[in-house]
Amino acid sequence: MSYQKILVGIDGSTQSDMAFNKAVEVALQNNAQLHLLSVINGERYPTTGPSGYGFVDHSIYESAVEVMKKRLGSYRTKAENAGVKDVKTDVVIGNAKLELAEHYPAENDIDLIVIGATGLNVVGRLIVGSTAAYTIREAPCDVTVVKTDMKNKKLEVKKNSYPEI
């Protein structure tokens, strides 16, 4: 089995860093294309019409998108420096579960998703389940859930520990 297009979700958490590191290794082993995706929580498309919701102005997401584009640029550099030849980056606005598990993989023919076991959205996980669990259930391809660092040591997660943006 060989993977040609590997997707890793990047949200700025330590867990997504661990997923990124392992995705780089898998990409190197398979000479695969590596896709780095960050999802900004919001409306994927502007909403208009008789529903009464009106038009969603995507300019409200601009600063978050720019921060994540810059962050993904540094991840791209790390992956390329490690030897990955083909790295794609993308920042999308939408629901992280849907984008990581369904939309992006279908639109880009992804054959492996690498995702951290937990991410930043504790409230969302409590209400509707984790992004990782959703991705495992709904993805059209293989999913690797990363729980350990490169030495297979489990990360000790501190409560309320959020990365700097």
Side-chain angles (χ1 to χ4, degrees):
M1 181 71 202
S2 136
Y3 297 106
Q4 298 306 304
K5 293 185 176 186
I6 300 167
L7 170 62
V8 61
I10 305 291
D11 68 2
S13 68
T14 303
Q15 292 82 359
S16 75
D17 286 346
M18 294 183 337
F20 166 77
N21 290 331
K22 290 197 176 184
V24 166
E25 289 301 314
V26 175
L28 288 169
Q29 291 168 5
N30 289 274
N31 194 28
Q33 186 178 69
L34 182 63
H35 292 251
L36 309 175
L37 177 66
S38 182
V39 181
I40 306 298
N41 190 31
E43 293 293 327
R44 186 172 203 229
Y45 300 110
T47 56
T48 58
S51 62
Y53 291 106
F55 181 78
V56 175
D57 182 3
H58 277 206
S59 67
I60 63 173
Y61 303 115
E62 284 177 12
S63 64
V65 168
E66 289 308 311
V67 166
M68 289 313 293
K69 281 184 179 180
K70 184 182 269 188
R71 181 172 282 159
L72 290 181
S74 69
Y75 280 94
R76 173 200 295 269
T77 300
K78 287 179 192 175
E80 290 172 342
N81 288 343
V84 179
K85 293 182 178 87
D86 192 359
V87 182
K88 308 282 186 206
T89 64
D90 203 1
V91 178
V92 298
I93 299 165
N95 178 300
K97 291 178 173 95
L98 294 174
E99 297 301 329
L100 281 167
E102 298 178 40
H103 297 152
Y104 194 90
E107 293 165 3
N108 293 278
D109 297 319
I110 299 299
D111 51 18
L112 175 66
I113 300 170
V114 180
I115 189 169
T118 60
L120 295 178
N121 193 346
V122 175
V123 174
R125 189 169 57 249
L126 290 173
I127 294 170
V128 292
S130 75
T131 301
Y134 184 87
T135 302
I136 291 165
R137 280 192 317 271
E138 302 299 329
C141 60
D142 289 347
V143 178
T144 296
V145 178
V146 175
K147 294 180 156 189
T148 61
D149 65 15
M150 293 302 286
K151 295 179 182 175
N152 290 328
K153 300 283 186 216
K154 186 174 179 183
L155 174 72
E156 295 298 323
V157 180
K158 297 176 187 171
K159 290 185 179 182
N160 299 325
S161 61
Y162 297 96
E164 292 182 31
I165 294 180

